Amino acid sequence: MANYRVNIWRQDQTEKQGRFEQYRVEDISEDMSFLEMLDVLNEKLISDDLVPVAFDHDCREGICGACGLVINGIPHGKECGTTTCQLYMRHFTADTEITIEPFRAQAFPLIKDLMVDRSSLDRVLQSGGYVSVHTGAAADANNVLIAKHKADDAFTAATCIGCGACVAVCRNASGMLFVAAKTSQLALLPQGQPERLERSLSMVKQMQDEGFGNCSNHYECEAACPKNIPASYIAQLNRDFLNASMTSKEYESQTHCKSLEE
Amino acid sequence: MPISLDSRIPDGDLADKWSNQQANFKLVSPNNKTKYKVIVIGSGLAGASAAATLAEQGYQVDCFSFNDSPRRAHSVAAQGGINAAKNYRNDGDSTYRLFYDTIKGGDFRSREANVYRLAEVSGQIIDHCVAQGIPFARDYAGYLDSRSFGGVQVSRTFYAKGQTGQQLLLGAYGALNRQIHLGKVRMFVRSEMLDVVVDKGVAQGIIVRNLVSGEVSRFNAHAVIIASGGYSNMFYLSTNALSSNVTATYRAYKQGALFANPAFTQIHPTCIPASGEHQSKLTLMSESLRNDGRIWVPAKQGDHRLPADIPHNERDYFLERRYPAFGNLVPRDIASRAVKQVCDKGLGVGPTGHGVYLDLADAIDSSGRDIIEERYGNLFEMYQRITSENPEKTPMRIYPAAHYTMGGLWVDYHLMSNIKGLFVIGEANFSDHGANRLGASALMQGLADGYFIVPSCVSHYLTEQKPQLVDTTSDSFNEIDQSVENRVADLLSIKGQHSADYFHRKLGQLMWDNCGMARSEKGLRKALDEIPKLSEQFWQQLKITGCGKELNFQLEKAGRVADFLEFSQLVCQDALHRSESCGGHFRQESQNAEGEALRNDDDFSYVAAWQFKSGKSNHQPEPATLHKEPLRHEAVAPDQRSYK
Ligand SMILES: Cc1cc2nc3c(=O)[nH]c(=O)nc-3n(C[C@H](O)[C@H](O)[C@H](O)COP(=O)(O)OP(=O)(O)OC[C@H]3O[C@@H](n4cnc5c(N)ncnc54)[C@H](O)[C@@H]3O)c2cc1C
Ligand code: FES
């Protein structure tokens, strides 16, 4: 059993000012998950008549993408390929200090304490992150064959859980890895071809409109991604985007091509 | 209101019923569709697919989820796969066989017509999902791959590594996103439905609390679809996401919808055992592992050698021994009970003795490490992260955990509850899995309901509705809105000493001990005696800090626990009345000489549909009233289920 001092970002509402508060958590077993450690803290705060710390979480098995804390300066902590909920206390030395902050980005307004609003990511996908097929229109599933390596590659891109760690870690708060994961998944599959170029245009545009920054090729996103999604998908998106900008009439390609070169 | 339990099963041969029904469905003309509004509660597989499809057809849809994004619904966690009777393997699969396996797997406690329809549309689901760009596993020739799951002898489970639920949900979420973008769906996230508005037996809308602002508001519609998932979290520890709960269906039940077979809950055999008091959830290790993994315990009690040091002849591969025909692939209820039995005999492994080995060593030897890693790599990682043990070196330890609920709101063939205009789909309804669900069939059912079945049923219903909506300032809305506000205020005013979690844990333990894998009259009566006391304590000693007009997750949790406290009594009542064993419902009083579940078809071949009865206090209902829908087995004669 170990004890820790945790510094946690507390903020009542979006408009209010936030601050760090330090708490002591005691009797933490190494088999506890990081969020279970926070559960212990919250139980203690409630019994002391204080308001517990708000943070997002749900599946607690690394798949829903709801959890996301900056732990000692790193989104989801320093364990590679791990979401906050899958992080275990055995990785933290007893009696040390742990600093916990929300994912910060212009496109992620803070709601309360460690909770942020990531609906900007949803809106980026709404702008085109799908194949526009009506229910009932599909032919037999084996009519179109897909080479295994392509399907596997598309799957790797599709494992994005939409947590936003890539944005939180990026100095420009760019959403490029997030966007690229979706566009690449569909670009790798025959079903995604008809809308491929249009999709890359509309999603990048929406990303910019939401206040995400542009990619300047530092690839910290790849290191922070709890699902290890490779940054090479960004190159694929850039190619599609350039291609689309050159062929698209409606689109003022200049501004966006410029931003991609930065 | 008198209760009608007309299941509205269409005439004709089993194989023709759905096409006959479709031919008889009335249609709303395209330009009238925009005049109708449908509410969908939930954006998991069932809710998202229904909302998207209804919007594609032209209806206005309002969709609600307590999650911060539709993509995070609990469906995202499904691992192993989705069934479909494609017979791509030419291994003897067919619509009939999928139907038969599901009926038998459910221990003959489901409605034949619904199950047949499910099997019929299963193939279309795969077609649609592939068209959406879902990257299913493929073989080297580029065709879809499939694998076997428990309780069947064909290979009909389509999958995307161990993340099938995520991929299917992202597909449905994509379809939903497209409709949101087109302005056809209004999506309300971080919004919790706290009651249904019902007037004269007709659903008119819902009351919703915005979880960020705490504001309570009213929404009206011509039809309401509940797709709120299952209630396994009644056991506190389960494989479900932490916020999954029974509130949506329980509130509808309190408004008059019947709750069917609540005691039919599924305990999944292969989960990572709990490691201590702090445990907040249990993690499933996909059933697909049983394709290659062998389950065993040391043959002798007190054998504390490392697993690798125990020779094969000193191990008991108890599933293979007891069920030679299906071996490790017996259905979940049977596997879970067998695991419990060996652990109860003191043969369990691990620090708590609540565990058995799931061993992949033989599979790695015969198929090669690469193949096994390719199949289960992400599960191994997940296991290692949680336990810090590497399953490729030492066998996994697993133990059963609450996982899925076959019970749910009663629906007829149109997926409509006994309240007109209130439809229920996905895990929230009771219809297709009887007393035990087969692996990979929940995803199939959720998507069958959402994409292919409920849209035409809702459409048909709307042909009989006038376009005018009931005003949200009507008496019915006022009354229910007020009761929701009062309840929130009541919860906040208690000012006791214990958090909602404290009561939830206690309830979970009571339910697991007395209404879990093995149930007895004595245990169930004990639970029925203790839960009301716990509930009383809850209403006297609950403590919530903060207020109601802000984000307050303790308040959310407290409302859900309050509903679980009432609902679990209904579960025990159902379990007590059904003195037979069937599927996941194992009554100790009803077993054969070999310890297998003993059904009683003469007395219990019916759906138990319970009607709410209010009590003296708002929080303590009277025992519910039972209504029976007899089950007619025309295509498959029930026999004692055997997997030997
Ligand atoms: C770990 C795990 C693995 C599984 N693996 C498989 C598998 O391999 N194959 C298979 O077939 N099945 C599997 N299942 C079962 C399957 O995942 C579920 O049964 C299915 O996904 C349920 O889908 P649903 O759409 O009915 O509900 P859910 O996905 O649970 O969605 C419920 C939705 O309702 C919303 N909601 C609920 N209540 C309210 C309310 N009051 N107000 C507003 N919104 C509300 C939620 O926000 C959510 O959007 C698995 C289950 C678990 C737990
Ligand atoms: S809580 Fe779902 S990914 Fe962490």
Side-chain angles (χ1 to χ4, degrees):
Chain A
M1 293 289 180
N3 303 333
Y4 301 91
R5 292 179 304 281
V6 288
N7 298 317
I8 300 187
W9 184 260
R10 303 299 311 256
Q11 184 171 339
D12 295 342
Q13 281 166 22
T14 318
E15 308 81 35
K16 299 245 172 89
Q17 258 216 309
R19 77 246 164 234
F20 276 107
E21 300 245 340
Q22 191 172 84
Y23 306 97
R24 214 177 133 71
V25 284
E26 287 168 355
D27 294 333
I28 301 299
S29 112
E30 60 170 29
D31 288 329
M32 271 187 201
S33 72
F34 195 81
L35 297 185
E36 284 167 350
M37 181 273 289
L38 288 180
D39 293 342
V40 171
L41 170 66
N42 276 345
E43 282 292 317
K44 182 164 172 284
L45 292 176
I46 296 171
S47 76
D48 294 347
D49 287 328
L50 297 170
V51 176
V53 182
F55 58 92
D56 269 314
H57 65 99
D58 201 12
C59 74
R60 296 210 176 185
E61 53 185 71
I63 192 75
C64 74
C67 65
L69 303 174
V70 175
I71 301 165
N72 292 335
I74 307 173
H76 294 302
K78 72 176 187 350
E79 290 302 304
C80 182
T82 304
T83 54
T84 301
C85 61
Q86 289 293 83
L87 189 60
Y88 280 77
M89 292 312 291
R90 63 180 77 96
H91 299 298
F92 294 84
T93 316
D95 293 318
T96 51
E97 217 167 86
I98 306 173
T99 299
I100 310 172
E101 293 165 84
F103 280 5
R104 293 183 201 271
Q106 195 195 325
F108 294 165
L110 194 138
I111 297 175
K112 183 175 181 176
D113 297 337
L114 302 171
M115 238 177 201
V116 297
D117 178 355
R118 287 167 288 187
S119 55
S120 48
L121 296 177
D122 291 303
R123 287 188 295 275
V124 170
L125 292 182
Q126 284 158 18
S127 73
Y130 38 76
V131 172
S132 301
V133 53
H134 259 55
T135 308
D140 186 87
N142 263 345
N143 264 4
V144 179
L145 302 186
I146 303 173
K148 180 170 166 34
H149 71 274
K150 287 256 181 184
D152 288 349
D153 200 3
F155 173 82
T156 303
T159 56
C160 168
I161 57 174
C163 64
C166 49
V167 179
V169 77
C170 175
R171 62 192 67 189
N172 309 329
S174 167
M176 276 301 264
L177 186 60
F178 171 81
V179 177
K182 184 45 88 185
T183 54
S184 301
Q185 172 203 341
L186 298 175
L188 283 156
L189 298 170
Q191 291 82 4
Q193 297 314 311
E195 299 167 287
R196 176 173 174 173
L197 297 185
E198 199 49 46
R199 176 181 304 119
S200 64
L201 282 183
S202 49
M203 286 179 68
V204 170
K205 176 167 186 311
Q206 187 69 33
M207 178 189 91
Q208 292 170 332
D209 290 351
E210 294 289 345
F212 291 97
N214 285 304
C215 173
S216 48
N217 303 321
H218 286 86
Y219 298 146
E220 279 152 324
C221 49
E222 183 181 75
C225 175
K227 297 291 136 181
N228 296 322
I229 293 178
S232 53
Y233 291 124
I234 296 180
Q236 160 118 8
L237 169 59
N238 281 339
R239 279 194 301 277
D240 279 358
F241 181 83
L242 280 176
N243 221 335
S245 312
M246 284 187 287
T247 48
S248 163
K249 293 193 193 76
E250 309 132 58
Y251 202 72
E252 318 95 307
S253 55
Q254 279 170 338
T255 50
H256 293 278
C257 288
K258 185 167 152 280
S259 63
L260 283 169
E261 282 155 14
E262 277 171 8
Chain B
M1 282 292 296
I3 297 287
S4 131
L5 269 191
D6 178 5
S7 54
R8 290 201 282 171
I9 296 170
D11 293 335
D13 287 344
L14 190 58
D16 301 327
K17 286 183 192 294
W18 181 230
S19 42
N20 289 349
Q21 179 66 66
Q22 283 176 299
N24 290 326
F25 271 145
K26 286 185 256 163
L27 302 175
V28 180
S29 88
N31 34 12
N32 279 341
K33 283 184 177 162
T34 51
K35 296 181 188 149
Y36 289 99
K37 194 165 137 195
V38 181
I39 282 176
V40 181
I41 298 141
S43 58
L45 283 178
S49 56
T53 305
L54 282 160
E56 279 170 16
Q57 296 183 350
Y59 299 106
Q60 303 172 48
V61 179
D62 282 353
C63 184
F64 298 82
S65 163
F66 55 60
N67 294 103
D68 71 320
S69 162
R71 69 180 296 153
R72 307 206 205 282
H74 162 62
S75 292
V76 76
Q79 300 174 352
I82 174 166
N83 288 331
K86 281 289 198 185
N87 197 28
Y88 285 156
R89 292 289 182 108
N90 197 22
D91 56 1
D93 203 4
S94 62
T95 299
Y96 182 82
R97 192 174 295 276
L98 173 51
F99 156 75
Y100 174 84
D101 286 343
T102 311
I103 288 281
K104 176 183 168 195
D107 220 354
F108 307 94
R109 289 291 173 266
S110 38
R111 213 189 263 148
E112 283 188 347
N114 288 53
V115 176
Y116 196 89
R117 172 177 65 187
L118 174 65
E120 246 179 310
V121 302
S122 64
Q124 267 180 290
I125 300 174
I126 303 300
D127 301 340
H128 184 54
C129 291
V130 165
Q132 287 177 332
I134 290 175
F136 283 112
R138 291 186 177 258
D139 63 20
Y140 284 97
Y143 290 91
L144 288 169
D145 196 12
S146 61
R147 58 189 176 194
S148 299
F149 249 56
V152 302
Q153 288 166 315
V154 293
S155 179
R156 66 158 76 97
T157 305
F158 296 84
Y159 65 102
K161 283 216 175 133
Q163 279 143 268
T164 317
Q166 178 196 29
Q167 295 309 313
L168 295 173
L169 183 63
L170 292 181
Y173 164 69
L176 183 64
N177 276 340
R178 178 172 160 237
Q179 298 305 319
I180 296 172
H181 190 61
L182 294 170
K184 299 297 298 176
V185 174
R186 292 197 298 168
M187 183 72 217
F188 298 85
V189 293
R190 295 196 197 265
S191 298
E192 184 163 25
M193 173 273 222
L194 290 181
D195 224 328
V196 208
V197 180
V198 180
D199 195 27
K200 300 186 194 71
V202 182
Q204 300 180 326
I206 60 171
I207 308 293
V208 177
R209 180 167 179 272
N210 178 318
L211 301 182
V212 177
S213 67
E215 209 175 308
V216 172
S217 42
R218 311 163 180 205
F219 291 85
N220 54 5
H222 297 92
V224 174
I225 303 177
I226 297 186
S228 57
Y231 50 85
S232 296
N233 277 344
M234 142 185 103
F235 292 103
Y236 187 72
L237 287 181
S238 87
T239 62
N240 286 19
L242 263 68
S243 49
S244 298
N245 68 78
V246 77
T247 291
T249 47
Y250 191 69
R251 296 275 125 197
Y253 163 75
K254 285 188 99 168
Q255 295 295 346
L258 300 179
F259 213 109
N261 300 336
F264 288 173
T265 59
Q266 178 168 80
I267 312 289
H268 196 294
T270 57
C271 305
I272 302 180
S275 71
E277 287 275 299
H278 56 267
Q279 193 89 24
S280 58
K281 80 157 288 177
L282 294 168
T283 303
L284 175 75
M285 286 286 106
S286 167
E287 171 161 314
S288 58
L289 285 162
R290 290 201 269 143
N291 268 299
D292 288 295
R294 299 182 67 194
I295 293 181
W296 63 276
V297 286
K300 282 195 311 277
Q301 252 186 35
D303 186 342
H304 295 305
R305 284 176 290 178
L306 290 174
D309 296 339
I310 303 180
H312 270 64
N313 61 1
E314 293 178 40
R315 302 174 175 186
D316 181 10
Y317 292 91
F318 53 94
L319 291 179
E320 297 171 31
R321 172 172 57 78
R322 287 179 60 182
Y323 306 100
F326 282 69
N328 292 297
L329 284 175
V330 289
R332 292 175 177 173
D333 53 336
I334 294 184
S336 292
R337 266 198 300 279
V339 169
K340 180 177 188 305
Q341 282 161 1
V342 294
C343 293
D344 287 351
K345 278 193 208 146
L347 294 165
V349 300
T352 57
H354 289 303
V356 301
Y357 291 124
L358 173 66
D359 197 343
L360 285 130
D362 290 348
I364 293 176
D365 282 347
S366 60
S367 309
R369 189 169 298 272
D370 290 353
I371 302 256
I372 296 299
E373 259 177 21
E374 154 104 26
R375 285 187 196 147
Y376 310 113
N378 68 317
L379 297 172
F380 292 169
E381 260 176 54
M382 198 194 282
Y383 184 84
Q384 184 160 10
R385 232 186 278 283
I386 295 174
T387 61
S388 77
E389 289 172 3
N390 178 352
E392 293 183 57
K393 300 225 171 83
T394 182
M396 297 179 170
R397 280 177 293 114
I398 51 140
Y399 195 70
H403 176 62
Y404 181 86
T405 50
M406 285 74 69
L409 289 180
W410 183 88
V411 288
D412 61 15
Y413 189 75
H414 294 231
L415 303 182
M416 189 161 95
S417 70
N418 56 306
I419 294 178
K420 288 208 181 65
L422 181 69
F423 295 80
V424 192
I425 59 176
E427 193 173 337
N429 76 19
F430 88 104
S431 81
D432 295 348
H433 308 293
N436 173 58
R437 173 176 69 81
L438 290 180
S441 284
L443 302 184
M444 167 173 74
Q445 181 227 330
L447 291 180
D449 288 358
Y451 283 131
F452 296 106
I453 302 171
V454 92
S456 35
C457 300
V458 168
S459 237
H460 176 73
Y461 170 77
L462 292 175
T463 57
E464 286 153 18
Q465 307 310 310
K466 296 201 184 70
Q468 290 86 347
L469 279 169
V470 173
D471 193 7
T472 54
T473 56
S474 72
D475 289 349
S476 49
F477 271 94
N478 288 340
E479 192 186 315
I480 297 177
D481 185 303
Q482 193 54 51
S483 75
V484 166
E485 296 267 17
N486 292 348
R487 188 157 181 271
V488 169
D490 286 351
L491 286 167
L492 286 164
S493 68
I494 303 172
K495 309 248 181 273
Q497 62 272 44
H498 296 299
S499 69
D501 251 352
Y502 168 91
F503 296 100
H504 194 184
R505 269 177 211 271
K506 289 203 171 243
L507 174 68
Q509 195 64 49
L510 263 173
M511 290 302 284
W512 181 250
D513 291 345
N514 298 297
C515 196
M517 263 187 288
R519 300 157 173 186
S520 67
E521 180 172 345
K522 187 162 162 257
L524 291 165
R525 288 201 188 282
K526 178 171 176 239
L528 281 169
D529 186 45
E530 306 253 325
I531 300 169
K533 293 184 203 153
L534 185 64
S535 173
E536 213 175 286
Q537 280 174 21
F538 173 92
W539 285 99
Q540 285 164 2
Q541 301 175 1
L542 173 74
K543 174 167 173 183
I544 299 176
T545 54
C547 74
K549 290 289 174 224
E550 61 175 6
L551 188 141
N552 188 334
F553 67 86
Q554 302 172 74
L555 176 63
E556 295 162 28
K557 175 89 205 220
R560 295 168 191 169
V561 174
D563 286 335
F564 274 136
L565 280 163
E566 287 180 35
F567 173 68
S568 54
Q569 299 177 52
L570 178 66
V571 175
C572 292
Q573 190 187 348
D574 185 37
L576 182 63
H577 112 282
R578 194 175 278 275
S579 59
E580 65 162 353
S581 292
C582 59
H585 170 65
F586 188 72
R587 281 290 299 264
Q588 276 160 337
E589 299 90 341
S590 184
Q591 47 183 311
N592 67 16
E594 291 155 322
E596 304 291 346
L598 197 61
R599 258 190 3 249
N600 172 356
D601 291 335
D602 291 342
D603 297 324
F604 289 104
S605 190
Y606 60 78
V607 176
W610 298 92
Q611 183 187 8
F612 175 73
K613 197 163 173 215
S614 56
K616 277 191 226 85
S617 110
N618 247 341
H619 319 131
Q620 190 48 52
E622 286 289 303
T625 312
L626 176 63
H627 300 268
K628 297 179 185 178
E629 180 201 333
L631 289 167
R632 269 180 286 277
H633 295 286
E634 285 159 6
V636 188
D639 55 9
Q640 205 60 38
R641 207 162 56 122
S642 168
Y643 292 91
K644 296 215 177 220

